[in-house]
Structure formats: structure tokens, C-alpha cells
Amino acid sequence: MKKDAHPEPDDRDLFPDWLQTDPLVVRRTLSVPPPSLEDNTADVDRLVRTLHRSGFSPVRVDPSDLDGISSRLRQGDFTVSVVLGYREDHWALLEVDAGASSEPVLGLAVDLGTTRLAFYLVDLEKGIVVDRRSEPNPQIPYGEDILTRIVFASAPRNRKMLQDLLLNTFRDVTARMSADNGLDPNRIFALAVAGNTTMSHFLLGLNPTNICKEPYIPVANRFPFLRGRDLGLTMHPGGLVFVFPNVGSYFGGDLIAGILASGMHRRDELSLLVDVGTNAEVVLGNKDWLIACAGAAGPALEGGVVERGMMAGPGAIDHVRIDPNTLELRYHVIGEEKPKGLCGSGLIDLVAEMFMAGILTIRGTLNRNLECPRMVETDNGPGFVVAWGPETADGRDLVVSEIDIGILLKSKAAMYTILNIIARKVGVSLQDIHKFYVAGTFGNHIDPVMAIRIGMLPDLPLETYQGLGNTAGRGAAMVLMDRSLLQDMERVRNRITYVELNVNVELMHEFRGATFLPHTDPSLFPSVPIPKRAREAV
Amino acid sequence: MKKDAHPEPDDRDLFPDWLQTDPLVVRRTLSVPPPSLEDNTADVDRLVRTLHRSGFSPVRVDPSDLDGISSRLRQGDFTVSVVLGYREDHWALLEVDAGASSEPVLGLAVDLGTTRLAFYLVDLEKGIVVDRRSEPNPQIPYGEDILTRIVFASAPRNRKMLQDLLLNTFRDVTARMSADNGLDPNRIFALAVAGNTTMSHFLLGLNPTNICKEPYIPVANRFPFLRGRDLGLTMHPGGLVFVFPNVGSYFGGDLIAGILASGMHRRDELSLLVDVGTNAEVVLGNKDWLIACAGAAGPALEGGVVERGMMAGPGAIDHVRIDPNTLELRYHVIGEEKPKGLCGSGLIDLVAEMFMAGILTIRGTLNRNLECPRMVETDNGPGFVVAWGPETADGRDLVVSEIDIGILLKSKAAMYTILNIIARKVGVSLQDIHKFYVAGTFGNHIDPVMAIRIGMLPDLPLETYQGLGNTAGRGAAMVLMDRSLLQDMERVRNRITYVELNVNVELMHEFRGATFLPHTDPSLFPSVPIPKRAREAV
């Protein structure tokens, strides 16, 4: 949400209070009773017995490690430091060092996004994020959108190439992050990756062809644990590689991670999670049930479709204020630069403020009764100047057209309609929602007051809304720190119902009402003061 | 036991009646419900679900197999033939073929002996031994005895070499056996190896140094399941490799296999198992308890120490009969050749028949009161000609000296003493033994009547005795056919007590009595008619 009200989560608050500190990989220093004629259990069996007594059972040992374990036990005079990885049905003995050890035990969480990859290097003993990085998805040259990449990947050679692009980025980023922090990448014993179903297939080199063909069947929904060496990653060769499972082709591990990040699946109260990306993905539920759906509501909201729209980043106008009396306009630019365009939150602010100032009618058209020098005629029809040429990065007027506004209003209407439909499906009212989570950068920047004013989000108490930032990366990092979330994941997968949104008459009717500002039924938005000018001008 | 009475087990009776047919590796042809919009579970998860419903759970899939499973499911129109390997806590999905398959599912059982390796190629679906081979242990040039090899193996390079020697023999034999039977070695999905603790360490490249140093600690007693590819074996790369666990340094997987082969651990009645090799290893017990010990009784019994002794094989005299009236001697030679020497059973026959004919006194000395041209004087003192020069392979008289006979009598006395001591340890009488199993080639050749006459085996009803042949190979083959034996193995390991035989006064006293023919206390051998001549001559 809005920067001032809800700061972007930083390293300290990536992990919620309710999270346990039971990492996926743990280290213990153990004193094993030395052998004698009376107790002549073999070396490895002796260590396994001690681990069993310390609560680690069953322990599986890699056959190639047997000799090393024996010699390190003896080097350390039967005191060893062991690193164990949790693999649900057993513990894998990843490292045995003679004596006590103070080397760090690290994990890497990855948000495997279609557009960007985000990396979080986590110290599993201290429970802190050591470093984070973000890189563009290296597959973009082979398709901006995922469908183009799926078609490209139908040839096994191309599939291999797309996989290698990802793995090489993983290797590069890991090597750089480790070096920059003076850490040995071999100390990374766990990797948790959350991505959508197709991206997870790309990472594992799986054929994604059937994901986009009816009846939309992935190769696998659950992926076996891999080892670092299986993918040639820059980490401990025996380290765990965990790829989040999917529910299906259209509900991937990124959303499972999102649910975990919100904690909604553990609470009695009703929560709603919205992730706005290429689609708007919505999950509603509590600890007993979860329902999910997706709809095409996203691009305009993220600033992707509107002519001067852009992703949140340097040069993007993210906040706009208009004085309703003087019609004076102020804006804020990310990075304090000259503006290049508007990001999602900037657009939402703009439309909300134009509406509040009576510049926009409740239909979303420019109020031609109003005298305002910013209202101009362009090649695309009537428009509104957000920034004049001399103020902008490229020297051209930054204009948002009536057409652009229409696109945004269709997106916000789609969002609002989806929320209503999903609530109605399970017989709850949006008013019953206790927590409303907004994922993504979008979620960190938008101001819920503004989003309610344009009728995009329901008119709920402001404290209901919470921005969660990168929920895929956060969920992945949380699994590194708390292995009990692996069970949560299975519960979520078994409990979730995915509903298809069918375009029907009822939906279209609802959608049309929701394209108004804030809605054709203003009683749905009692907190929004509809300006007289905006109503009269229709 | 004696060839006529108890034929050497052949392919048909390698598997006892009580064995279940639940092999370590199984194949199933399954029809998986095809996906639909209503049931859009992913391909691999769909197959796993069907396997689960067929009783295979949990199933683990190799990450590198995911794509292939999906494409073969679709090639076979969702009918596939799968091969699954049992790994105690899960089933490993080893192969998925489109449609039904009629390719064989094979396993290989190996007796990893210090002197010889024996291989049994088993058809796991038909439950038959397809072929068997035996090869000298290729490590012999680096030490006839295991201790020399352990010392040699203290250098890691030598250890690697000893391991490679074994693995190369495995590869060669598997390739030859497969080719000779028109089979693809990739159809071998399981390998079960039973060897003593040191040989198992050699096979896995483990450091055996501590096995022969107090307190005699192996690297490991239980070995993790390996895959064919881990050892680069000529078999299915994902196929199971199971190495029998040890109880300790001096009680190896070969003896565990022997116990399984006898089935003694499943019966109420008391059984005794003797394996005569470098040591005589003895196990006594029933389904509730097992006690084991070992003693130096072996070499002479197997024909290893006596001057003209040899292993059972072509050219070895394995049977001897002497007419007590005429003192005429007849013998049988393995392979119907000219004799080269005597194997264990030939020696035992010879001594028993010499004793019955009064040629030997109850002290085991030649009866000098007797006129017999076969009694001669040699460089080693008095001796007895078994075959005259013109009859033998090398043209020299085949003579057994009084010294040789003395060695044999010490061995048989050691054996009898060990049996008595172990019985006394648990408070049972040898008369209570319901089944007395004799393992090894030795067990297949000796005649219990003769062994009782010399006082080597207790005077039990003849039907008590049963030769089991190669119990290590047999036990390994049985595990391939009946995976429930994996649990038996753990029960046996947990239940067995290994006792050290301490040389003390009592033992020495007993031992001395047992060096007589059949014993200083003839009431222990009521069935043995002691010839007047043998008694008078003392």
C-alpha cells in the first residue's frame, strides 16, 4: 500500500510473527559416544543412532558420504557438526564436519516471475535476509508473454535453452551475492523457488505444451526434491532444491507461496488475497476453505496498457493530487526524476483525484462544462495533461486520454466484479472480509483510499487493507525458515477450489455497472463523497 | 550333504516353499483415467494417484524422469507399463513404458565371497534362476586372506583398485550372462549382494582399516540402497543395489543371508546353522532368539590345510570306501578324472572309513598292529596311500600322513567343541536341535554319517541334517523374490547375540576329548560302532 502508510516490507519484517524458526536445513553439534568392545556399532550407524536420539529420524545418508563420515567422526574424536536437510519423509545428512563448526548455514529463496526473478539470500540460523537481488527474466527475448515462450518451448532444444537461461541467471546471481557478502556459495544448503506453473516447468526443463491446451494438464503438479548437483547450481551439491507445487495449470506455486505469505490459511477470519499481474488472481477463504479465481483485470492496473503507463520504477509518477478548487495538480516521481509516465498507483490516484475534482464524470468522461487548461484535444481524442513538456523526461506533454481512462475503468470494473462473484460463489459478503491483502509491487504502492474512490476495491475500513510486496519471494523465504509450511502447502492444495469465470449475461451486467465512478450503485461506496460537478456533468 | 541323499540345490529348489512371491521389483500395467476439464490433475500426479490406488504408496519419481513419464503416458493413451522398486520406506518408479510390455524383469543375486563370487540371474516374474556363474574373487592377487587385503586397502588408491576389480567382474559377468541368455542387461532392475563385512566394504569402496583393530568398528553396518548408476554397473541405471547389512565386523551380511536361507529365524523349533569357511561360523536359535559365534575350525575341513587337500572340484576325491575285511579301498573323483587330491568330504570319508576298518586308532594314529600295504613311511612320517602313482593325475602316490589326519582331527574337534559351547551358553542340548543346516559346498558334499563317525557333528538322527549349498547367494536371491525378508533381516540383526569364544581351561579340556575318534566319551556317539581293532591298538 501507500509508501507512507504501509512501508515496503524490508529484511526485518519479511518473516511474520507467527512463523516458527524450524528451518528446512539445520545444523547440530553432537558428541557421539565413542565405540568400545561393549558397544561396537559401526561409525555411520553410531552417528545415525545419536541423531535419532536427538529427534532426527529417519536419517538418510548418501552412499558416497559413508567413508567421509567415518573419517570425520574419528578426526573430531567423535564430536561432529552435522547439517541436515528436511525432505518431508526423512532427513538428509548433508554435511559432517569434525568438531564444532561456525560456518553459516544459508538458504536462497527465489520468486521465479515471468518478467522478473527476485532472489533472497537467507541466513537460516540468524533468521535474517542477508541480501536480495532482482533480475529481469532472461527468457524475455524469447517471448514477453508466457504463451509465446510455451510455443517456442515445444522443441526440446528450445526448452533446454530456456532452462539454461534461468539456471545461468541463478548461478550468476548466487555467485555475485555470495561474493559481495564474503560468503561461500557452498554454504547454501537449500533453495526454495516459487513460480507459476509454466515457469516452474521451464526451470525443470519440463514440456509445458499441454499447459495451454484443453484440458490444460501440466507434466507435474508436485515436484520431487532435487539436489543442487541435479541442476548444476552454485550451491552445496547435495543441498535441497524445492520447487513449489502447483494446483493446476492456472494456479501455480507463486500463488501457493502468496497464500502462505498472508497466513490466511491458518486463520479463522475471512481473508482475501489479490495478486495483480498479467491477470488479477484472487483467493478468498480462511483455515477451513479457500476459493480462487483469475480474470483479465491486470495490465492496465499495473500501468501496462495505458499509452503513457509504465511499471513502478524510476521516472514513474506514483502519486497525484489535484486541488478541487484551483484544479492545481501535484505529482510525485519515483527516484525524484523528471517523469516518464505513470505507474499503476499514479494512474489510480490520477483518476480518483480527477473524479473528486469533478474533472471526470461518473461515467469516466472529461467534464466539458469545466474550464481547465489541462484538458486538451489529441490525436487519440480528448485528454488530460498530467505534466507539461518542460517538466517531463522527453520534453513532451504527458497526456492521459479519455481512451486510456476508459481502459483503466474497464480493468477496475473487472477487478471489482471478480471480487463480487467469488464472494457470492461461497455466499459471503465482501463486508465480511477481515483482511484484504494486495500482493506485488502494485500492492505496496497503491493507496486504498484512492482505489476505493474509483470503485476498484470494496469500501472496507482502511485497516483491512495490507500490502504484502513480493508474496512469491516472501512465501519461498518463509518455507526456508519454517519447514512446517510444507504441510501447510499440502493442506492448501487439497483445500483450494479453483473456479472458472464464465462470461455470461449476469457478469456482463455487473461489469457494466462497475465501470462507473465509483459504481452505478453509489450505496456500495458510502465513504466516497461524489462531487456534484461529476454527477451534474453526465 | 552327500550327493545321492541330498542333491545339490538346483534352480527349482533355490527358493523354499515358505517364500512369498513379492519381489523387490514389480511390474504393473495400468490404465490411468485420462484427464478432463473436470479432472485436471497433472500427468505425473495422475499416474502416482493410480499407483497409490493400486497399493503402491508412497511412490518417488526421479526428477529427471518427469518429462518422459508424461510423454509415455500420452503415447500409450494413458495405458502404461511401470516397473517399481521397493526401497522400504517408498517405491521408486524405475520405468514407465507406453502401453503393455512383455520385456522381462530381472534381478541379480551375488555371493561376494572372499575366495569366489557367485552370480544368480533371476527372472523376478517367473520366479526362476535363469543362469548362474561363479568366478574367482579378482582381489586374490592382493591377498589370499582378507587380512592382507585390509592392510593393502589402507591406502585410498589401493582401496579404489580393489573396488574396481570387483565392479569390473560384476560388469563382465553380467554382460556375459545377459548375452548368453539373449537378455538386455538394462532389464536387471535389482542387485542383491551378500558378503562378509570386509568384502561389503571393499565393494562400496569403504575404508576397512578399523574392522581388524580393537574395538573392531566397521564404517557402516547398514548400507543405504544405491542405484545401478552409482556404481556404474551393467544394469538399469536407476535399478536398486542392495548390500546386505552386517551385525558387526565379524558377523557379516553373508551370515544374515545364510540365516534367511535356512528360515530358522521364522520357526518355533530349534535350528543350528554351520558355515565352514576360513572360520566355522555357527548360529543357533529359533524365531525368538539367535546366538552366533565363530571359531577356527574351517580350513582343514574344506581341504585347505592338509598337504594333498583341495577345494571340491574336478580331480578331487570326494568319496572313499574301505572294506573292513579286505581293507580294499575305492574312491570317487569329481569329474571322473584321475585324482589330484582330496576335498573336505573325501578327507572326512577317508578318516571315518580308516577308523571303521581299524586302520586308525581312537587316537587317530595308524594302527601299526595291522598288516596293510597302504601304510607307508614318508618324509613327513607315517602315511596312508589313498591312490597309487599310476592312478593319479601327477603319477605320484596320493598319501595322507598321520600329521594331516591330526590336523583334520583338531579341526573336527574344534567344530564339535564350538557346537557344545554355544548350546551350553543358552542352556540347550544338541539333542534338542530340530534342524541342523550345513552351508557351503562343503555342506553339499559331506555325508553326515561319516561326519558323525569321526565325531565332528553330533550324533543326531540323519534327517536332522540338511545341506544348504551357497547360503549367501541363496539368501540374496530370496530377497530379490520376497521383499518381506528385508524386515526379517532387521529382526535378525536386532535379535542376534554374538559371543566371543575365549580360550580357557574348560575349553581346552573339552577340545582335547573331542580330538579322539569319535570322542573320549563314546556315549556321546551311540550310533558309532567302535571297531575292536581301533580300541585295542591304542
Side-chain angles (χ1 to χ4, degrees):
Chain A
M1 302 278 136
K2 204 180 147 194
K3 214 165 177 105
D4 330 20
H6 306 269
E8 183 164 8
D10 70 6
D11 300 352
R12 282 180 303 277
D13 59 6
L14 197 59
F15 301 122
D17 295 339
W18 55 265
L19 202 74
Q20 299 173 59
T21 306
D22 287 321
L24 211 49
V25 175
V26 296
R27 187 229 315 266
R28 291 286 182 279
T29 298
L30 300 162
S31 284
V32 180
S36 65
L37 278 175
E38 289 67 44
D39 175 13
N40 60 359
T41 299
D43 289 342
V44 174
D45 306 66
R46 179 172 297 271
L47 175 58
V48 167
R49 187 179 66 185
T50 304
L51 285 168
H52 177 80
R53 288 173 185 167
S54 307
F56 298 97
S57 181
V59 169
R60 201 165 298 156
V61 178
D62 202 292
S64 61
D65 290 340
L66 293 171
D67 230 21
I69 292 170
S70 167
S71 61
R72 251 151 284 142
L73 260 177
R74 286 159 184 276
Q75 272 167 39
D77 216 5
F78 291 90
T79 291
V80 284
S81 177
V82 300
V83 175
L84 294 147
Y86 181 73
R87 291 182 63 155
E88 295 198 275
D89 56 358
H90 69 275
W91 289 91
L93 190 53
L94 301 179
E95 191 184 68
V96 177
D97 267 340
S101 161
S102 60
E103 295 291 307
V105 177
L106 305 172
L108 187 70
V110 183
D111 162 26
L112 191 67
T114 307
T115 309
R116 292 196 79 77
L117 314 184
F119 298 84
Y120 303 80
L121 186 61
V122 182
D123 185 312
L124 300 181
E125 292 189 319
K126 295 184 185 155
I128 56 161
V129 176
V130 177
D131 200 357
R132 53 172 75 186
R133 296 288 157 94
S134 169
E135 291 283 330
N137 187 317
Q139 301 175 328
I140 290 176
Y142 301 91
E144 280 269 358
D145 65 305
I146 201 103
L147 203 64
T148 310
R149 284 184 230 169
I150 290 178
V151 173
F152 178 73
S154 60
R157 202 180 49 188
N158 295 347
R159 203 143 73 225
K160 177 82 176 66
M161 196 184 74
L162 289 180
Q163 182 188 23
D164 285 343
L165 285 168
L166 292 177
L167 294 177
N168 283 331
T169 303
F170 275 54
R171 291 176 195 125
D172 289 354
V173 172
T174 319
R176 276 190 280 124
M177 276 174 113
S178 307
D180 292 353
N181 292 281
L183 294 166
D184 175 358
N186 265 305
R187 303 303 305 168
I188 301 175
F189 287 101
L191 172 66
V193 185
N196 65 44
T197 306
T198 305
M199 282 308 305
S200 298
H201 274 55
F202 284 146
L203 180 70
L204 298 176
L206 305 180
N207 188 349
T209 308
N210 294 309
I211 288 179
C212 60
K213 281 200 302 213
E214 204 180 303
Y216 315 111
I217 309 297
V219 167
N221 280 332
R222 300 189 74 213
F223 307 106
F225 273 97
L226 287 90
R227 299 204 160 220
R229 71 170 77 93
D230 296 335
L231 296 175
L233 291 172
T234 308
M235 62 184 288
H236 189 280
L240 314 182
V241 176
F242 175 73
V243 180
F244 272 65
N246 315 303
V247 174
S249 285
Y250 291 109
F251 198 97
D254 50 349
L255 291 173
I256 306 252
I259 293 169
L260 298 188
S262 76
M264 62 189 287
H265 67 291
R266 287 196 178 188
R267 279 199 297 274
D268 288 320
E269 302 87 9
L270 196 62
S271 300
L272 194 142
L273 170 68
V274 171
D275 193 348
V276 179
T278 312
N279 277 318
E281 274 140 347
V282 178
V283 184
L284 176 67
N286 57 25
K287 71 177 173 52
D288 298 316
W289 56 268
L290 292 163
I291 183 165
C293 69
L301 300 181
E302 265 202 320
V305 174
V306 171
E307 204 191 343
R308 296 301 290 265
M310 62 183 284
M311 298 286 287
I317 292 176
D318 63 342
H319 292 297
V320 177
R321 288 293 177 273
I322 299 174
D323 186 304
N325 299 316
T326 64
L327 304 187
E328 231 171 72
L329 184 147
R330 288 174 300 125
Y331 55 79
H332 174 260
V333 183
I334 300 178
E336 318 298 332
E337 306 177 0
K338 284 192 167 184
K340 293 173 187 158
L342 291 114
C343 70
S345 64
L347 265 173
I348 290 165
D349 266 24
L350 177 69
V351 171
E353 287 289 281
M354 285 171 74
F355 175 46
M356 286 299 121
I359 302 169
L360 282 181
T361 69
I362 57 171
R363 285 183 189 280
T365 54
L366 286 167
N367 182 355
R368 286 174 185 79
N369 299 339
L370 208 67
E371 243 351 287
C372 176
R374 289 183 183 265
M375 285 203 270
V376 293
E377 200 62 34
T378 73
D379 294 347
N380 292 321
F384 185 81
V385 180
V386 183
W388 300 103
E391 307 162 25
T392 68
D394 62 2
R396 294 189 301 130
D397 289 353
L398 206 166
V399 182
V400 171
S401 70
E402 236 179 38
I403 294 171
D404 286 339
I405 290 167
I407 292 170
L408 181 76
L409 294 185
K410 283 203 179 78
S411 276
K412 77 97 184 170
M415 170 66 87
Y416 187 73
T417 308
I418 292 168
L419 297 178
N420 270 283
I421 290 173
I422 196 170
R424 207 179 308 132
K425 283 257 185 201
V426 287
V428 302
S429 156
L430 291 177
Q431 301 304 317
D432 299 334
I433 292 168
H434 188 256
K435 274 287 173 195
F436 192 116
Y437 299 103
V438 187
T441 317
F442 177 73
N444 284 332
H445 284 89
I446 64 159
D447 180 342
V449 176
M450 298 293 172
I452 292 169
R453 281 188 182 160
I454 67 166
M456 180 180 104
L457 297 182
D459 198 354
L460 301 174
L462 292 184
E463 62 273 19
T464 311
Y465 289 97
Q466 189 181 331
L468 278 182
N470 182 339
T471 50
R474 180 191 279 245
M478 283 166 60
V479 167
L480 292 177
M481 281 310 298
D482 181 358
R483 58 184 176 267
S484 76
L485 291 180
L486 292 176
Q487 279 116 62
D488 286 41
M489 241 176 258
E490 279 313 294
R491 273 201 301 277
V492 165
R493 288 185 68 239
N494 292 332
R495 216 157 282 179
I496 207 158
T497 311
Y498 186 80
V499 295
E500 287 290 328
L501 294 184
N502 297 313
V503 179
N504 57 28
V505 176
E506 187 201 24
L507 184 90
M508 281 313 294
H509 178 75
E510 269 202 64
F511 173 75
R512 207 163 301 124
T515 57
F516 280 69
L517 281 168
H519 196 278
T520 46
D521 178 3
S523 72
L524 293 170
F525 291 87
S527 82
V528 180
I530 300 174
K532 205 161 153 245
R533 278 207 294 255
R535 206 181 303 141
E536 281 170 351
V538 178
Chain B
M1 301 279 135
K2 204 179 143 193
K3 212 167 179 105
D4 332 18
H6 306 271
E8 182 163 12
D10 69 5
D11 300 353
R12 281 180 305 277
D13 60 6
L14 196 59
F15 301 122
D17 294 339
W18 55 266
L19 203 73
Q20 300 173 58
T21 306
D22 287 320
L24 212 49
V25 176
V26 297
R27 189 228 314 265
R28 290 288 183 277
T29 298
L30 299 162
S31 284
V32 179
S36 64
L37 279 174
E38 289 67 46
D39 175 12
N40 59 0
T41 299
D43 290 342
V44 174
D45 305 66
R46 181 172 296 272
L47 175 59
V48 168
R49 187 179 64 186
T50 303
L51 286 168
H52 177 79
R53 289 174 184 166
S54 307
F56 298 96
S57 179
V59 169
R60 200 165 301 157
V61 178
D62 201 291
S64 62
D65 290 340
L66 293 172
D67 230 21
I69 291 170
S70 166
S71 62
R72 252 153 283 143
L73 260 178
R74 287 160 184 275
Q75 272 165 38
D77 217 4
F78 291 90
T79 291
V80 284
S81 178
V82 301
V83 175
L84 294 147
Y86 181 73
R87 292 181 63 154
E88 294 197 277
D89 57 357
H90 69 276
W91 289 91
L93 189 54
L94 301 179
E95 190 183 68
V96 177
D97 267 341
S101 162
S102 59
E103 295 291 308
V105 177
L106 304 172
L108 187 72
V110 183
D111 162 25
L112 190 68
T114 308
T115 310
R116 292 196 78 78
L117 314 185
F119 297 85
Y120 303 79
L121 186 61
V122 182
D123 185 314
L124 300 182
E125 291 190 319
K126 296 183 183 152
I128 56 163
V129 176
V130 177
D131 201 356
R132 54 172 74 186
R133 297 287 158 92
S134 169
E135 292 283 330
N137 187 318
Q139 301 175 329
I140 289 175
Y142 301 91
E144 281 269 357
D145 66 304
I146 202 100
L147 204 63
T148 310
R149 286 183 229 168
I150 290 178
V151 173
F152 178 73
S154 59
R157 203 180 46 187
N158 295 346
R159 202 143 74 225
K160 176 82 176 65
M161 197 186 71
L162 289 180
Q163 181 188 25
D164 286 342
L165 285 169
L166 292 177
L167 295 178
N168 282 331
T169 303
F170 275 53
R171 290 176 195 125
D172 289 353
V173 172
T174 318
R176 276 190 281 123
M177 276 173 116
S178 307
D180 291 353
N181 292 280
L183 294 167
D184 175 359
N186 265 304
R187 304 303 306 168
I188 301 173
F189 287 100
L191 172 65
V193 185
N196 65 42
T197 306
T198 305
M199 282 307 305
S200 299
H201 275 55
F202 284 146
L203 180 70
L204 298 176
L206 305 180
N207 188 349
T209 308
N210 294 309
I211 289 179
C212 60
K213 283 200 300 214
E214 203 181 304
Y216 316 111
I217 308 298
V219 166
N221 281 331
R222 301 189 73 212
F223 306 106
F225 273 97
L226 287 89
R227 300 203 159 220
R229 70 171 77 94
D230 296 337
L231 296 175
L233 292 171
T234 306
M235 62 182 288
H236 189 280
L240 313 182
V241 176
F242 176 73
V243 179
F244 272 65
N246 316 303
V247 174
S249 284
Y250 291 109
F251 197 96
D254 51 347
L255 291 174
I256 306 252
I259 293 169
L260 297 188
S262 76
M264 63 190 286
H265 66 292
R266 286 195 178 190
R267 279 198 297 274
D268 288 319
E269 300 87 8
L270 196 62
S271 301
L272 194 142
L273 170 69
V274 171
D275 192 349
V276 179
T278 312
N279 276 319
E281 273 139 346
V282 178
V283 184
L284 176 68
N286 57 24
K287 71 177 173 51
D288 298 316
W289 55 269
L290 292 162
I291 183 164
C293 70
L301 299 182
E302 265 201 322
V305 174
V306 170
E307 204 191 344
R308 295 300 290 262
M310 62 183 284
M311 297 287 286
I317 292 177
D318 61 343
H319 292 298
V320 177
R321 288 292 177 274
I322 298 174
D323 186 306
N325 300 316
T326 64
L327 304 187
E328 231 170 72
L329 185 147
R330 287 175 301 124
Y331 54 79
H332 174 258
V333 183
I334 300 178
E336 318 297 333
E337 305 178 1
K338 285 191 166 184
K340 294 173 188 156
L342 291 114
C343 68
S345 63
L347 266 172
I348 291 166
D349 267 24
L350 176 69
V351 173
E353 287 289 279
M354 286 170 76
F355 175 45
M356 286 299 119
I359 302 169
L360 280 182
T361 69
I362 56 170
R363 288 185 188 276
T365 52
L366 286 166
N367 182 353
R368 286 176 185 74
N369 301 338
L370 210 66
E371 245 346 291
C372 176
R374 288 183 184 264
M375 285 202 269
V376 292
E377 201 61 36
T378 74
D379 295 348
N380 291 321
F384 185 80
V385 180
V386 184
W388 297 105
E391 307 163 27
T392 66
D394 62 0
R396 294 191 298 130
D397 290 351
L398 206 164
V399 182
V400 171
S401 70
E402 238 180 34
I403 294 172
D404 287 339
I405 291 167
I407 292 170
L408 182 75
L409 293 185
K410 284 205 180 77
S411 276
K412 77 96 185 170
M415 170 67 87
Y416 187 75
T417 308
I418 293 167
L419 296 178
N420 270 283
I421 290 175
I422 195 169
R424 206 177 313 131
K425 282 256 184 203
V426 287
V428 302
S429 156
L430 291 177
Q431 302 302 318
D432 300 333
I433 292 168
H434 188 256
K435 274 286 172 195
F436 192 118
Y437 299 103
V438 188
T441 318
F442 177 73
N444 285 332
H445 285 89
I446 64 158
D447 180 341
V449 176
M450 299 294 174
I452 292 168
R453 282 190 182 158
I454 67 166
M456 177 178 107
L457 298 182
D459 198 355
L460 301 176
L462 292 184
E463 63 273 20
T464 311
Y465 288 97
Q466 189 179 330
L468 278 182
N470 181 338
T471 50
R474 182 191 277 246
M478 284 166 60
V479 167
L480 291 177
M481 281 310 298
D482 182 357
R483 58 183 177 267
S484 76
L485 291 180
L486 293 175
Q487 278 115 64
D488 286 40
M489 242 175 256
E490 280 313 294
R491 273 201 301 276
V492 165
R493 289 184 67 239
N494 291 333
R495 215 157 284 178
I496 207 156
T497 311
Y498 187 80
V499 294
E500 288 290 330
L501 294 185
N502 299 313
V503 178
N504 57 28
V505 176
E506 185 200 27
L507 184 90
M508 282 313 293
H509 179 75
E510 270 202 65
F511 173 76
R512 208 164 300 126
T515 56
F516 281 69
L517 281 168
H519 196 276
T520 45
D521 178 2
S523 74
L524 293 169
F525 293 87
S527 83
V528 180
I530 300 174
K532 207 162 151 249
R533 279 207 295 256
R535 208 180 304 141
E536 280 169 351
V538 177

